[in-house]
């Protein structure tokens, strides 16, 4: 309750501060001072005050962009300050509720839209935590006129079951080319069910330099993650049929399969991409916006000079200094200033550097460490035990301390011929080569005669690949990007990746129609941990074939009717996936095992998605309807239908406070969703016929008030408002129920200083 009062006070403080700010402004738009009694005074209360910043307006301007991870190419983006659906950004279920999770926030997640599931990474254990980890291609780099700070905080629950999340971002510029900043992110969710608390702490430092010849982007991040694993509740009837039990159980009293089990990840990442360009300077005409900006700057310079002259004159008069001693500027200086202003207004040309050829280098360093730790494992829970550490390692019996580490270093060197340096260069061309070193550590068993010893084994892998890219990003009508890469030497020799994307934009009925298409062909070697994994109770060394994926995807967008249509068709050969099996009893699990498998049949996946928005005055209705079909549901299960809908009123209070008041929800059809294997931090196919269960067919509905006032966003929400009523089938993973009704609050505040 104290946190609820705190957040409401902050929101009210923001409203009052903005109103007070308006009252404190004088007729010239400057701020007046206030005495101890709150009475307005003049800024000249101290005539000897030499503060030169009191009449200066803090400049507010922010440009953000994202980069390509391989080459560092820049893609303009929008700042993360959009108020719409701000309340949904706090969930690991996704902005549109499209992810399956294990119930608590900040736990592992998996998209129900199979076409959006990423390829398995080399360190698969952190991949399900994409909600709390920043990748270089997702980071927003900044260029700002003044330092900017953003503080985001959301909260729910109490000391027993609540959540706290705070994110602080700071960005500034040393000059117009060099910018840097940091991001601190702390997420802590105790969990509404037993033994499922999560804690994530991440620090990210970033910087960029945007010179004519030299450009650079850098990122350094450190993450510490600790997640308690409860293995799901022992009996789904505690949720679906609570009337069958003699006693009524609160959510945190429902028995869970595991206790005193944790996954811990500690990761360090360093990313650097930079380039040096050879080219020439040329004069080009400024755009209308640039001409207006230059005119505004010139006029502001003139106004500032006149204001300073007048202020200096008044100050001298107040000090009883004779008029003839006042020296601000002579006629020659005034004439020079006027001439420079006229020259600035008359000159509509600017000097532009045209890069013709660039040499690009990208360094990607990653150091991962994972521990699966347990002290209290149920009897017969695991089907197999592969080793029992000796007394020197201090872990025996039901204690588990599985460790694995991974280090990777990737260097990419590229030469680029950039598009647009003359009228004949309609596309850019890159050729590149990449070397990657991968090191892995995990338990291994060696024999000394007849005696087996458990040691930390080490594996090294090297790869060399080459490729090229043909890209066109300039212009308004047609854009395309064709990239290809093949691996020549190393563990992944014979691997191939080909990506193609294009979009065509043309006018139709007074608006613009966009037709986009994507296609790729991948022939990929399974990752190291798909081929090898060693732990106390799960162990495999697989000989796997390369997985082949072929996809074609189309996207139609018509802004006038707010309509988007997406259709994707994909064929997968040698599909590589995780499988999980166990015997389920009424109060526990037994004989649990997990493994990596490959499908011997080709899988065909169809995805059709319609995104349609409607608006009638203040009433808005947004919808995302997804249809999916998999030819092998026992290997790649998908819900046939997935729906997100958002119905809300949008209006303003006192012409300054923007409000979105409504309800959103998501629903998906029943299917055999992947189960969650805590020992691997992976979602795995249910393989035991007797224990397979379906989830879905249940709506998750939230009611919210989402507000925006100048630089502040805040919301009040009751999530899962229908929890505890109806069918009570609120599972987003088998045996992992979601919390019931929860009141949530959130606030995001931008500061310019």
């Amino acid at each position: 309750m104290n946190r609820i009062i705190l957040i409401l006070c902050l929101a009210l403080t923001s409203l009052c501060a903005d109103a007070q700010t308006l009252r404190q402004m004088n007729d010239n738009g400057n701020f007046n001072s206030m005495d101890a009694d709150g009475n307005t005074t003049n800024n000249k209360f101290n005539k000897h005050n030499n503060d030169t910043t009191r009449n200066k307006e803090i400049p507010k301007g922010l440009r953000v962009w994202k980069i390509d991870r391989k080459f560092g190419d820049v893609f303009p983006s929008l700042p993360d300050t959009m108020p719409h659906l701000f309340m949904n950004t706090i969930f690991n279920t996704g902005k549109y509720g499209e992810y399956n999770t294990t119930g608590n926030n900040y736990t592992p997640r998996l998209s129900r839209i199979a076409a959006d599931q990423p390829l398995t990474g080399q360190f698969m254990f952190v991949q399900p935590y994409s909600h709390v980890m920043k990748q270089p291609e997702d980071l927003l780099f900044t260029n700002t006129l003044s330092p900017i700070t953003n503080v985001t905080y959301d909260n729910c629950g109490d000391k027993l079951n609540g959540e706290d999340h705070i994110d602080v971002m700071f960005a500034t510029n040393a000059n117009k080319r060099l910018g840097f900043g940091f991001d601190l992110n702390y997420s802590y969710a105790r969990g509404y069910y037993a033994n499922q608390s999560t804690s994530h702490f991440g620090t990210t430092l970033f910087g960029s330099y945007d010179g004519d010849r030299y450009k650079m982007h850098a990122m350094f991040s450190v993450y510490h993650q600790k997640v308690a694993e409860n293995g799901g509740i022992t009996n789904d009837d505690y949720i679906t049929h609570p009337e069958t039990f003699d006693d009524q159980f609160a959510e945190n009293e429902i028995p869970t399969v595991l206790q005193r089990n944790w996954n811990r990840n500690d990761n360090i990442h360093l990313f650097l991409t930079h380039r040096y360009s050879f080219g020439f300077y040329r004069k080009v005409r400024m755009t209308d916006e640039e001409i207006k900006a230059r005119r505004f700057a010139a006029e502001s310079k003139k106004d500032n000079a006149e204001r300073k002259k007048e202020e200096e004159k008044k100050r001298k008069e107040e000090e009883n200094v004779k008029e003839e001693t006042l020296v601000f500027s002579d006629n020659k200086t005034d004439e020079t200033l006027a001439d420079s202003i006229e020259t600035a207004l008359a000159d509509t040309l600017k000097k532009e550097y045209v890069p013709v050829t660039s040499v690009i280098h990208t360094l990607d360093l990653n150091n991962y460490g994972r521990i699966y730790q347990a002290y209290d494992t149920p009897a017969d829970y695991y089907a197999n035990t592969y080793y029992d550490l000796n007394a020197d390692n201090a872990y025996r019996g039901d204690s588990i301390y599985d460790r694995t580490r991974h280090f990777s270093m990737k260097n990419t060197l590229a030469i680029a011929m950039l598009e647009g340096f003359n009228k004949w260069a309609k596309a850019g061309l890159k050729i590149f080569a990449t070397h990657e070193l991968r090191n892995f550590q995990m338990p291994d068993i060696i024999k000394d005669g007849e005696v087996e010893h458990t040691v930390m084994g080490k594996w090294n892998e090297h790869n060399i690949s080459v490729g090229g890219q043909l890209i066109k990003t300039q212009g308004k009508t047609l854009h395309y990007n064709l990239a290809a890469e093949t691996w020549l030497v190393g563990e992944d020799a014979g691997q191939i990746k080909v990506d193609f994307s294009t979009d065509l934009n043309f006018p139709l009925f007074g608006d613009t129609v966009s037709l986009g298409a994507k296609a790729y062909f991948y022939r990929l070697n399974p990752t190291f941990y798909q081929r090898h994994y060693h732990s106390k109770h799960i162990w495999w060394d697989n000989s796997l074939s390369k997985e082949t994926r072929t996809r074609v995807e189309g996207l139609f967008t018509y802004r006038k009717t707010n309509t988007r249509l997406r259709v994707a068709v994909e064929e997968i050969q040698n599909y590589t996936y995780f499988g999980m099996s166990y015997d389920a009893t009424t109060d526990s699990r037994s004989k649990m095992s997990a493994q990596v498998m490959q499908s011997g049949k080709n899988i065909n996946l169809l995805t059709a998605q319609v995104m349609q928005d409607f608006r009638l005055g203040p009433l808005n209705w947004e919808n995302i309807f997804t249809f999916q079909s998999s030819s092998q549901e026992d290997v790649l299960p998908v819900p046939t239908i997935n729906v997100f809908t958002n119905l809300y009123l949008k209006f303003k209070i006192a012409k300054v406070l923007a409000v979105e008041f409504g309800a959103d929800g998501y629903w998906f059809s029943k299917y055999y969703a992947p189960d969650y294997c805590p020992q691997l931090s992976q979602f795995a196919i249910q393989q035991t016929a007797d224990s397979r269960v379906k989830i879905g067919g249940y709506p998750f509905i939230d009611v919210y008030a989402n507000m925006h006032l100048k630089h502040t966003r805040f919301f009040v929400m009751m999530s899962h408002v229908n929890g505890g009523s109806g069918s009570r089938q609120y599972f987003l993973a088998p045996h992992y129920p979601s919390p019931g009704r929860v009141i949530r609050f959130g606030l995001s505040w931008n500061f310019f200083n």
Side-chain angles (χ1 to χ4, degrees), residues 369-393:
R370 175 184 185 262
I371 298 172
Y372 177 71
Q373 189 173 5
Y375 296 109
D376 190 4
T377 304
D380 300 323
Y381 177 73
Y382 292 101
N384 302 292
T385 298
Y386 295 96
Y387 65 84
D388 198 7
L389 295 182
N390 55 36
D392 294 337
N393 291 310

PDB file of all heavy atoms in Angstrom, residues 369-393:
ATOM      1  N   GLY A 369      28.429 -17.714 -18.056  1.00  0.00           N
ATOM      2  CA  GLY A 369      28.584 -18.726 -17.020  1.00  0.00           C
ATOM      3  C   GLY A 369      27.220 -19.107 -16.474  1.00  0.00           C
ATOM      4  O   GLY A 369      26.378 -18.241 -16.213  1.00  0.00           O
ATOM      5  N   ARG A 370      26.981 -20.405 -16.305  1.00  0.00           N
ATOM      6  CA  ARG A 370      25.687 -20.882 -15.809  1.00  0.00           C
ATOM      7  C   ARG A 370      25.896 -21.941 -14.736  1.00  0.00           C
ATOM      8  O   ARG A 370      26.787 -22.795 -14.852  1.00  0.00           O
ATOM      9  CB  ARG A 370      24.861 -21.478 -16.944  1.00  0.00           C
ATOM     10  CG  ARG A 370      23.530 -22.104 -16.464  1.00  0.00           C
ATOM     11  CD  ARG A 370      22.779 -22.760 -17.598  1.00  0.00           C
ATOM     12  NE  ARG A 370      21.472 -23.261 -17.171  1.00  0.00           N
ATOM     13  CZ  ARG A 370      21.220 -24.516 -16.830  1.00  0.00           C
ATOM     14  NH1 ARG A 370      22.207 -25.403 -16.848  1.00  0.00           N
ATOM     15  NH2 ARG A 370      20.014 -24.897 -16.467  1.00  0.00           N
ATOM     16  N   ILE A 371      25.040 -21.890 -13.710  1.00  0.00           N
ATOM     17  CA  ILE A 371      25.029 -22.900 -12.652  1.00  0.00           C
ATOM     18  C   ILE A 371      23.587 -23.318 -12.413  1.00  0.00           C
ATOM     19  O   ILE A 371      22.708 -22.467 -12.222  1.00  0.00           O
ATOM     20  CB  ILE A 371      25.628 -22.363 -11.341  1.00  0.00           C
ATOM     21  CG1 ILE A 371      27.093 -21.973 -11.522  1.00  0.00           C
ATOM     22  CG2 ILE A 371      25.503 -23.394 -10.228  1.00  0.00           C
ATOM     23  CD1 ILE A 371      27.685 -21.266 -10.315  1.00  0.00           C
ATOM     24  N   TYR A 372      23.347 -24.623 -12.462  1.00  0.00           N
ATOM     25  CA  TYR A 372      22.068 -25.153 -11.989  1.00  0.00           C
ATOM     26  C   TYR A 372      22.334 -25.802 -10.649  1.00  0.00           C
ATOM     27  O   TYR A 372      23.121 -26.746 -10.538  1.00  0.00           O
ATOM     28  CB  TYR A 372      21.475 -26.162 -12.971  1.00  0.00           C
ATOM     29  CG  TYR A 372      20.188 -26.780 -12.448  1.00  0.00           C
ATOM     30  CD1 TYR A 372      19.027 -26.032 -12.361  1.00  0.00           C
ATOM     31  CD2 TYR A 372      20.161 -28.108 -12.009  1.00  0.00           C
ATOM     32  CE1 TYR A 372      17.858 -26.581 -11.859  1.00  0.00           C
ATOM     33  CE2 TYR A 372      18.987 -28.666 -11.510  1.00  0.00           C
ATOM     34  CZ  TYR A 372      17.845 -27.896 -11.434  1.00  0.00           C
ATOM     35  OH  TYR A 372      16.688 -28.433 -10.933  1.00  0.00           O
ATOM     36  N   GLN A 373      21.660 -25.299  -9.630  1.00  0.00           N
ATOM     37  CA  GLN A 373      21.983 -25.684  -8.263  1.00  0.00           C
ATOM     38  C   GLN A 373      20.717 -26.154  -7.552  1.00  0.00           C
ATOM     39  O   GLN A 373      19.650 -25.546  -7.684  1.00  0.00           O
ATOM     40  CB  GLN A 373      22.578 -24.479  -7.528  1.00  0.00           C
ATOM     41  CG  GLN A 373      23.153 -24.778  -6.167  1.00  0.00           C
ATOM     42  CD  GLN A 373      23.869 -23.561  -5.599  1.00  0.00           C
ATOM     43  OE1 GLN A 373      23.843 -22.483  -6.181  1.00  0.00           O
ATOM     44  NE2 GLN A 373      24.510 -23.740  -4.456  1.00  0.00           N
ATOM     45  N   ALA A 374      20.836 -27.268  -6.797  1.00  0.00           N
ATOM     46  CA  ALA A 374      19.689 -27.805  -6.059  1.00  0.00           C
ATOM     47  C   ALA A 374      20.176 -28.513  -4.804  1.00  0.00           C
ATOM     48  O   ALA A 374      21.240 -29.136  -4.793  1.00  0.00           O
ATOM     49  CB  ALA A 374      18.894 -28.770  -6.931  1.00  0.00           C
ATOM     50  N   TYR A 375      19.382 -28.419  -3.741  1.00  0.00           N
ATOM     51  CA  TYR A 375      19.721 -29.063  -2.473  1.00  0.00           C
ATOM     52  C   TYR A 375      18.670 -30.052  -1.997  1.00  0.00           C
ATOM     53  O   TYR A 375      18.907 -30.797  -1.072  1.00  0.00           O
ATOM     54  CB  TYR A 375      19.918 -28.000  -1.382  1.00  0.00           C
ATOM     55  CG  TYR A 375      21.065 -27.075  -1.623  1.00  0.00           C
ATOM     56  CD1 TYR A 375      20.842 -25.749  -1.961  1.00  0.00           C
ATOM     57  CD2 TYR A 375      22.374 -27.515  -1.519  1.00  0.00           C
ATOM     58  CE1 TYR A 375      21.899 -24.885  -2.188  1.00  0.00           C
ATOM     59  CE2 TYR A 375      23.440 -26.666  -1.744  1.00  0.00           C
ATOM     60  CZ  TYR A 375      23.194 -25.346  -2.081  1.00  0.00           C
ATOM     61  OH  TYR A 375      24.242 -24.496  -2.301  1.00  0.00           O
ATOM     62  N   ASP A 376      17.483 -30.025  -2.613  1.00  0.00           N
ATOM     63  CA  ASP A 376      16.394 -30.848  -2.095  1.00  0.00           C
ATOM     64  C   ASP A 376      15.601 -31.397  -3.274  1.00  0.00           C
ATOM     65  O   ASP A 376      14.573 -30.840  -3.664  1.00  0.00           O
ATOM     66  CB  ASP A 376      15.499 -30.009  -1.175  1.00  0.00           C
ATOM     67  CG  ASP A 376      14.502 -30.873  -0.417  1.00  0.00           C
ATOM     68  OD1 ASP A 376      14.570 -32.101  -0.559  1.00  0.00           O
ATOM     69  OD2 ASP A 376      13.662 -30.307   0.305  1.00  0.00           O
ATOM     70  N   THR A 377      16.071 -32.494  -3.857  1.00  0.00           N
ATOM     71  CA  THR A 377      15.440 -33.079  -5.029  1.00  0.00           C
ATOM     72  C   THR A 377      14.549 -34.247  -4.615  1.00  0.00           C
ATOM     73  O   THR A 377      14.967 -35.100  -3.828  1.00  0.00           O
ATOM     74  CB  THR A 377      16.507 -33.579  -6.021  1.00  0.00           C
ATOM     75  OG1 THR A 377      17.377 -32.493  -6.354  1.00  0.00           O
ATOM     76  CG2 THR A 377      15.862 -34.126  -7.278  1.00  0.00           C
ATOM     77  N   PRO A 378      13.321 -34.309  -5.122  1.00  0.00           N
ATOM     78  CA  PRO A 378      12.435 -35.430  -4.752  1.00  0.00           C
ATOM     79  C   PRO A 378      13.041 -36.775  -5.137  1.00  0.00           C
ATOM     80  O   PRO A 378      13.787 -36.897  -6.113  1.00  0.00           O
ATOM     81  CB  PRO A 378      11.161 -35.150  -5.558  1.00  0.00           C
ATOM     82  CG  PRO A 378      11.204 -33.693  -5.867  1.00  0.00           C
ATOM     83  CD  PRO A 378      12.649 -33.346  -6.014  1.00  0.00           C
ATOM     84  N   ALA A 379      12.696 -37.797  -4.367  1.00  0.00           N
ATOM     85  CA  ALA A 379      13.187 -39.149  -4.650  1.00  0.00           C
ATOM     86  C   ALA A 379      12.673 -39.621  -6.005  1.00  0.00           C
ATOM     87  O   ALA A 379      11.506 -39.398  -6.357  1.00  0.00           O
ATOM     88  CB  ALA A 379      12.736 -40.103  -3.550  1.00  0.00           C
ATOM     89  N   ASP A 380      13.545 -40.260  -6.772  1.00  0.00           N
ATOM     90  CA  ASP A 380      13.199 -40.823  -8.091  1.00  0.00           C
ATOM     91  C   ASP A 380      12.737 -39.766  -9.085  1.00  0.00           C
ATOM     92  O   ASP A 380      12.072 -40.081 -10.078  1.00  0.00           O
ATOM     93  CB  ASP A 380      12.105 -41.893  -7.958  1.00  0.00           C
ATOM     94  CG  ASP A 380      12.521 -43.045  -7.066  1.00  0.00           C
ATOM     95  OD1 ASP A 380      13.709 -43.419  -7.111  1.00  0.00           O
ATOM     96  OD2 ASP A 380      11.669 -43.561  -6.316  1.00  0.00           O
ATOM     97  N   TYR A 381      13.085 -38.513  -8.832  1.00  0.00           N
ATOM     98  CA  TYR A 381      12.654 -37.468  -9.765  1.00  0.00           C
ATOM     99  C   TYR A 381      13.361 -37.614 -11.111  1.00  0.00           C
ATOM    100  O   TYR A 381      12.756 -37.443 -12.164  1.00  0.00           O
ATOM    101  CB  TYR A 381      12.919 -36.085  -9.169  1.00  0.00           C
ATOM    102  CG  TYR A 381      12.580 -34.946 -10.102  1.00  0.00           C
ATOM    103  CD1 TYR A 381      11.260 -34.613 -10.367  1.00  0.00           C
ATOM    104  CD2 TYR A 381      13.587 -34.200 -10.724  1.00  0.00           C
ATOM    105  CE1 TYR A 381      10.943 -33.571 -11.229  1.00  0.00           C
ATOM    106  CE2 TYR A 381      13.284 -33.162 -11.577  1.00  0.00           C
ATOM    107  CZ  TYR A 381      11.960 -32.851 -11.831  1.00  0.00           C
ATOM    108  OH  TYR A 381      11.649 -31.826 -12.698  1.00  0.00           O
ATOM    109  N   TYR A 382      14.653 -37.935 -11.102  1.00  0.00           N
ATOM    110  CA  TYR A 382      15.423 -38.066 -12.338  1.00  0.00           C
ATOM    111  C   TYR A 382      15.486 -39.523 -12.769  1.00  0.00           C
ATOM    112  O   TYR A 382      15.607 -40.435 -11.939  1.00  0.00           O
ATOM    113  CB  TYR A 382      16.837 -37.519 -12.160  1.00  0.00           C
ATOM    114  CG  TYR A 382      16.885 -36.019 -11.971  1.00  0.00           C
ATOM    115  CD1 TYR A 382      17.035 -35.467 -10.699  1.00  0.00           C
ATOM    116  CD2 TYR A 382      16.762 -35.164 -13.057  1.00  0.00           C
ATOM    117  CE1 TYR A 382      17.076 -34.088 -10.519  1.00  0.00           C
ATOM    118  CE2 TYR A 382      16.807 -33.782 -12.887  1.00  0.00           C
ATOM    119  CZ  TYR A 382      16.953 -33.260 -11.618  1.00  0.00           C
ATOM    120  OH  TYR A 382      16.980 -31.908 -11.435  1.00  0.00           O
ATOM    121  N   ALA A 383      15.440 -39.730 -14.074  1.00  0.00           N
ATOM    122  CA  ALA A 383      15.524 -41.087 -14.611  1.00  0.00           C
ATOM    123  C   ALA A 383      16.951 -41.615 -14.566  1.00  0.00           C
ATOM    124  O   ALA A 383      17.176 -42.826 -14.420  1.00  0.00           O
ATOM    125  CB  ALA A 383      14.992 -41.122 -16.042  1.00  0.00           C
ATOM    126  N   ASN A 384      17.954 -40.721 -14.679  1.00  0.00           N
ATOM    127  CA  ASN A 384      19.346 -41.162 -14.769  1.00  0.00           C
ATOM    128  C   ASN A 384      20.233 -40.290 -13.889  1.00  0.00           C
ATOM    129  O   ASN A 384      19.952 -39.104 -13.678  1.00  0.00           O
ATOM    130  CB  ASN A 384      19.854 -41.074 -16.216  1.00  0.00           C
ATOM    131  CG  ASN A 384      19.011 -41.903 -17.174  1.00  0.00           C
ATOM    132  OD1 ASN A 384      19.001 -43.123 -17.116  1.00  0.00           O
ATOM    133  ND2 ASN A 384      18.295 -41.221 -18.058  1.00  0.00           N
ATOM    134  N   THR A 385      21.314 -40.906 -13.398  1.00  0.00           N
ATOM    135  CA  THR A 385      22.368 -40.181 -12.692  1.00  0.00           C
ATOM    136  C   THR A 385      23.690 -40.601 -13.316  1.00  0.00           C
ATOM    137  O   THR A 385      24.032 -41.782 -13.332  1.00  0.00           O
ATOM    138  CB  THR A 385      22.366 -40.495 -11.186  1.00  0.00           C
ATOM    139  OG1 THR A 385      21.115 -40.079 -10.622  1.00  0.00           O
ATOM    140  CG2 THR A 385      23.499 -39.772 -10.484  1.00  0.00           C
ATOM    141  N   TYR A 386      24.435 -39.616 -13.833  1.00  0.00           N
ATOM    142  CA  TYR A 386      25.647 -39.932 -14.591  1.00  0.00           C
ATOM    143  C   TYR A 386      26.911 -39.805 -13.759  1.00  0.00           C
ATOM    144  O   TYR A 386      27.940 -40.374 -14.112  1.00  0.00           O
ATOM    145  CB  TYR A 386      25.733 -39.027 -15.822  1.00  0.00           C
ATOM    146  CG  TYR A 386      24.606 -39.291 -16.800  1.00  0.00           C
ATOM    147  CD1 TYR A 386      23.449 -38.515 -16.778  1.00  0.00           C
ATOM    148  CD2 TYR A 386      24.676 -40.339 -17.699  1.00  0.00           C
ATOM    149  CE1 TYR A 386      22.405 -38.769 -17.654  1.00  0.00           C
ATOM    150  CE2 TYR A 386      23.634 -40.608 -18.578  1.00  0.00           C
ATOM    151  CZ  TYR A 386      22.497 -39.817 -18.544  1.00  0.00           C
ATOM    152  OH  TYR A 386      21.456 -40.082 -19.401  1.00  0.00           O
ATOM    153  N   TYR A 387      26.895 -39.052 -12.692  1.00  0.00           N
ATOM    154  CA  TYR A 387      28.045 -38.985 -11.801  1.00  0.00           C
ATOM    155  C   TYR A 387      27.590 -38.471 -10.445  1.00  0.00           C
ATOM    156  O   TYR A 387      26.542 -37.847 -10.302  1.00  0.00           O
ATOM    157  CB  TYR A 387      29.158 -38.101 -12.368  1.00  0.00           C
ATOM    158  CG  TYR A 387      28.792 -36.635 -12.504  1.00  0.00           C
ATOM    159  CD1 TYR A 387      28.899 -35.770 -11.424  1.00  0.00           C
ATOM    160  CD2 TYR A 387      28.360 -36.128 -13.722  1.00  0.00           C
ATOM    161  CE1 TYR A 387      28.567 -34.438 -11.536  1.00  0.00           C
ATOM    162  CE2 TYR A 387      28.026 -34.796 -13.856  1.00  0.00           C
ATOM    163  CZ  TYR A 387      28.133 -33.946 -12.758  1.00  0.00           C
ATOM    164  OH  TYR A 387      27.802 -32.625 -12.876  1.00  0.00           O
ATOM    165  N   ASP A 388      28.379 -38.757  -9.440  1.00  0.00           N
ATOM    166  CA  ASP A 388      28.161 -38.249  -8.088  1.00  0.00           C
ATOM    167  C   ASP A 388      29.490 -37.692  -7.627  1.00  0.00           C
ATOM    168  O   ASP A 388      30.466 -38.432  -7.480  1.00  0.00           O
ATOM    169  CB  ASP A 388      27.690 -39.368  -7.163  1.00  0.00           C
ATOM    170  CG  ASP A 388      27.050 -38.834  -5.898  1.00  0.00           C
ATOM    171  OD1 ASP A 388      26.855 -37.610  -5.823  1.00  0.00           O
ATOM    172  OD2 ASP A 388      26.741 -39.637  -5.012  1.00  0.00           O
ATOM    173  N   LEU A 389      29.571 -36.363  -7.460  1.00  0.00           N
ATOM    174  CA  LEU A 389      30.849 -35.737  -7.167  1.00  0.00           C
ATOM    175  C   LEU A 389      31.451 -36.285  -5.882  1.00  0.00           C
ATOM    176  O   LEU A 389      30.744 -36.637  -4.944  1.00  0.00           O
ATOM    177  CB  LEU A 389      30.678 -34.225  -7.053  1.00  0.00           C
ATOM    178  CG  LEU A 389      30.247 -33.509  -8.350  1.00  0.00           C
ATOM    179  CD1 LEU A 389      30.166 -32.013  -8.102  1.00  0.00           C
ATOM    180  CD2 LEU A 389      31.190 -33.807  -9.491  1.00  0.00           C
ATOM    181  N   ASN A 390      32.784 -36.350  -5.868  1.00  0.00           N
ATOM    182  CA  ASN A 390      33.459 -36.901  -4.698  1.00  0.00           C
ATOM    183  C   ASN A 390      33.479 -35.886  -3.549  1.00  0.00           C
ATOM    184  O   ASN A 390      33.010 -34.756  -3.668  1.00  0.00           O
ATOM    185  CB  ASN A 390      34.887 -37.333  -5.067  1.00  0.00           C
ATOM    186  CG  ASN A 390      35.683 -36.187  -5.689  1.00  0.00           C
ATOM    187  OD1 ASN A 390      35.516 -35.045  -5.295  1.00  0.00           O
ATOM    188  ND2 ASN A 390      36.539 -36.509  -6.652  1.00  0.00           N
ATOM    189  N   ALA A 391      34.033 -36.308  -2.438  1.00  0.00           N
ATOM    190  CA  ALA A 391      34.005 -35.477  -1.235  1.00  0.00           C
ATOM    191  C   ALA A 391      34.752 -34.168  -1.425  1.00  0.00           C
ATOM    192  O   ALA A 391      34.415 -33.151  -0.815  1.00  0.00           O
ATOM    193  CB  ALA A 391      34.593 -36.254  -0.060  1.00  0.00           C
ATOM    194  N   ASP A 392      35.786 -34.158  -2.260  1.00  0.00           N
ATOM    195  CA  ASP A 392      36.544 -32.929  -2.476  1.00  0.00           C
ATOM    196  C   ASP A 392      35.673 -31.842  -3.093  1.00  0.00           C
ATOM    197  O   ASP A 392      35.884 -30.653  -2.857  1.00  0.00           O
ATOM    198  CB  ASP A 392      37.752 -33.202  -3.380  1.00  0.00           C
ATOM    199  CG  ASP A 392      38.756 -34.125  -2.703  1.00  0.00           C
ATOM    200  OD1 ASP A 392      38.735 -34.180  -1.451  1.00  0.00           O
ATOM    201  OD2 ASP A 392      39.527 -34.787  -3.407  1.00  0.00           O
ATOM    202  N   ASN A 393      34.704 -32.247  -3.912  1.00  0.00           N
ATOM    203  CA  ASN A 393      33.815 -31.270  -4.537  1.00  0.00           C
ATOM    204  C   ASN A 393      32.605 -30.949  -3.663  1.00  0.00           C
ATOM    205  O   ASN A 393      31.827 -30.051  -3.970  1.00  0.00           O
ATOM    206  CB  ASN A 393      33.335 -31.777  -5.898  1.00  0.00           C
ATOM    207  CG  ASN A 393      34.456 -31.810  -6.916  1.00  0.00           C
ATOM    208  OD1 ASN A 393      35.175 -30.839  -7.086  1.00  0.00           O
ATOM    209  ND2 ASN A 393      34.616 -32.943  -7.584  1.00  0.00           N
TER     210      ASN A 393
END
